[in-house]
Amino acid sequence: MAQLPILIVLAGGASSRMWPLREKSLLRFGTEPLLVSQLRRYESLGLQEAVIVANPGNLEDIKTLTAAIRSMNIRVVVQADAKGMGDALLQAAPALPNQPETPIYVVQVHDVVDDQLHADMLKAYAADPTGTYIAGYEREDYFPGGYLIVSPTGRITGIVEKPGAENRPSNLVNIVAHIHPDSARLFNAIQEEYAKPIASDDHYERAMDRLMTQHVFKVVPYRGPWNALKFPWHTLDVMNYYLSKISGKIVAESAFVAPSATLIGDVFIGERAKVFPGAAIVGPAYIGADTIVGNNALVRQSMVLNHCNVGYTTEVARSYVADHCDMHACRVLDSVFAPGVNFSAGCTTANLRIDRKNVKSTVKGTRLDSGRDKFGAIVGQGAFLGVDVMTMPGVKIGEAVEVGPGTHVHEDVLDRRRVYVKQEIIIVER
């Protein structure tokens, strides 16, 4: 029987593209952070050992979280600088057993897929432990990523990055779910690439390209859901994946749901939550522990985590709301709130362009198409938005920002800024 590969979870790298949200591996979708829920699914598939590559910013949090998972042998290493996947794997090397031909399974924490992909990968490896296996996501439309060059027998002979819609070598996109039967062979190839005077961070990809000429790489096709957390609005895609796993009405015994409140579809109500008269929860929806959904409020297709107040007549639609957020008589539409946001009475996240085209958002100075025709705001931790504030579609509000009453926010606001409108009041005698 083939030796089970050791899991290597890439959870380091830079998260600057996710601003104003913090570390994406620690985002919680339901009761557990993403990293923990990912580890539990790998454990359920039989994987017993894991090495997690963290960064200096999330190292201590990851150590604390993984210490509670005693059923797996987990080691945490740190990648001091974001130098690409090749460097991350080299940082993991010392944490692996010092033995020849140690197999590894390389994954990224922010790639959310069905268990079937991992089950198929492990099944293919068990059938032939000498091959290297790469998951290939089958899609008909063009995706700006790496495409696999695959022979009729399923052997991979190369990877082409962003070839363009007309030049795709196949319809299989490279997902970072890779099983390597000999980690030492891979690490040596990566180190040889780092020795070359090439100014890029694709050492891992170049090493694989070279190994493909000498060893057998096989594709494992996958057609299920695939959501990757690369930009802050992708939080909504991952949220929808986890909402899709709610089945039926799950209401904690300690929760209170008023007789005149309405629960429709697949709904989760957490411990000690309160849903008051006239409120409606329309699934798929998740209401966390100790959260209050006030009179005549509406929560639909959303995830509202713990200790939140969804106040009187508030609407939360298709949005992700983290812990300790307060909302009152307002509209939260297609948006993401980090912990501790205060969204005062009359506030609205505008979510639709007048021309109904896809909403764009600025990331590190570049305007990007979010791919969403409805997209509200991303609001950072501890932001306070006063009464009657309105954010335009795709706007991002930084951490600890204060937005004064009646302000219309048309562009991103950096962390720890105060934004307000100066109003001139004129009084004349009638």
Side-chain angles (χ1 to χ4, degrees):
M1 182 176 178
Q3 175 189 353
L4 278 172
I6 295 176
L7 185 69
I8 296 184
V9 182
L10 303 178
S15 293
S16 56
R17 290 182 301 185
M18 289 291 290
W19 179 87
L21 304 181
R22 294 190 180 184
E23 176 54 48
K24 54 192 171 184
S25 65
L26 305 179
L27 283 173
R28 207 172 75 246
F29 297 94
T31 59
E32 295 181 322
L34 178 61
L35 173 62
V36 175
S37 63
Q38 294 279 57
L39 288 172
R40 294 201 190 282
R41 69 168 55 191
Y42 295 128
E43 179 190 18
S44 70
L45 293 165
L47 296 173
Q48 301 164 348
E49 291 189 74
V51 177
I52 300 174
V53 183
N55 61 47
N58 64 19
L59 177 63
E60 293 307 318
D61 286 326
I62 287 178
K63 282 184 175 180
T64 300
L65 288 173
T66 54
I69 306 176
R70 303 187 183 278
S71 51
M72 291 184 76
N73 180 13
I74 300 174
R75 297 176 290 281
V76 183
V77 299
V78 64
Q79 182 184 22
D81 300 302
K83 296 180 181 178
M85 284 181 55
D87 180 70
L89 290 171
L90 293 181
Q91 305 311 314
L96 296 176
N98 186 17
Q99 59 189 45
E101 299 182 358
T102 298
I104 57 174
Y105 188 10
V106 181
V107 296
Q108 295 186 125
V109 68
H110 60 258
D111 282 337
V112 180
V113 298
D114 271 346
D115 290 352
Q116 191 61 50
L117 179 150
H118 303 297
D120 289 345
M121 289 285 289
L122 293 170
K123 181 179 178 181
Y125 171 73
D128 180 7
T130 64
T132 298
Y133 299 91
I134 295 180
Y137 181 59
E138 297 187 58
R139 60 185 303 154
E140 299 304 322
D141 59 320
Y142 178 69
F143 174 80
Y147 280 81
L148 304 176
I149 304 173
V150 185
S151 73
T153 63
R155 180 168 178 172
I156 303 171
T157 58
I159 302 176
V160 181
E161 286 293 330
K162 300 178 182 178
E166 303 301 322
N167 300 311
R168 287 180 290 172
S170 71
N171 67 337
L172 295 167
V173 178
N174 170 36
I175 302 180
V176 180
H178 303 165
I179 295 181
H180 296 274
D182 187 340
S183 58
R185 183 172 70 197
L186 173 66
F187 296 152
N188 288 336
I190 293 173
Q191 287 173 332
E192 289 174 10
E193 292 302 322
Y194 272 99
K196 298 177 181 178
I198 300 176
S200 68
D201 62 355
D202 61 345
H203 305 83
Y204 175 59
E205 290 79 6
R206 297 204 313 267
M208 286 203 299
D209 270 338
R210 188 153 51 84
L211 289 173
M212 286 174 186
T213 66
Q214 307 164 25
H215 304 280
V216 176
F217 280 60
K218 296 181 180 179
V219 66
V220 177
Y222 172 68
R223 295 193 68 114
W226 172 35
N227 297 289
L229 267 173
K230 293 186 177 180
F231 300 112
W233 54 87
H234 291 154
T235 303
L236 298 174
D237 299 324
V238 176
M239 175 195 76
N240 288 334
Y241 174 83
Y242 281 96
L243 286 177
S244 73
K245 301 304 177 183
I246 300 173
S247 180
K249 294 176 178 59
I250 305 168
V251 180
E253 289 187 7
S254 60
F256 166 76
V257 179
S260 62
T262 304
L263 306 184
I264 301 173
D266 300 319
V267 173
F268 178 97
I269 308 291
E271 298 288 345
R272 299 171 302 281
K274 294 180 175 64
V275 183
F276 283 100
I281 313 294
V282 181
Y286 178 99
I287 305 298
D290 300 293
T291 282
I292 294 172
V293 181
N295 300 79
N296 300 333
L298 170 62
V299 177
R300 55 193 177 102
Q301 299 171 21
S302 297
M303 185 172 281
V304 182
L305 299 184
N306 301 347
H307 299 281
C308 292
N309 290 308
V310 183
Y312 172 72
T313 69
T314 291
E315 178 184 7
V316 180
R318 301 175 301 276
S319 294
Y320 173 93
V321 179
D323 296 342
H324 297 285
C325 289
D326 293 310
M327 299 150 280
H328 183 74
C330 56
R331 306 290 174 263
V332 182
L333 311 174
D334 300 277
S335 297
V336 178
F337 284 8
V341 169
N342 186 92
F343 209 57
S344 302
C347 289
T348 298
T349 59
N351 65 339
L352 183 67
R353 287 171 47 140
I354 293 176
D355 59 10
R356 298 181 182 272
K357 291 182 179 179
N358 282 355
V359 177
K360 292 184 178 181
S361 191
T362 302
V363 176
K364 301 179 74 171
T366 302
R367 294 290 286 172
L368 298 179
D369 184 346
S370 69
R372 294 176 162 270
D373 60 353
K374 289 185 177 181
F375 173 30
I378 311 291
V379 184
Q381 183 166 324
F384 191 108
L385 285 75
V387 296
D388 290 332
V389 167
M390 181 174 291
T391 60
M392 293 298 105
V395 159
K396 300 193 291 299
I397 306 292
E399 291 192 1
V401 163
E402 295 176 354
V403 183
T407 305
H408 289 188
V409 184
H410 291 264
E411 58 187 29
D412 292 356
V413 181
L414 299 179
D415 296 341
R416 291 172 290 280
R417 301 295 196 272
R418 178 177 292 148
V419 182
Y420 56 93
V421 174
K422 284 188 176 181
Q423 180 180 6
E424 182 182 1
I425 299 177
I426 300 173
I427 302 175
V428 297
E429 185 176 348
R430 294 181 60 187

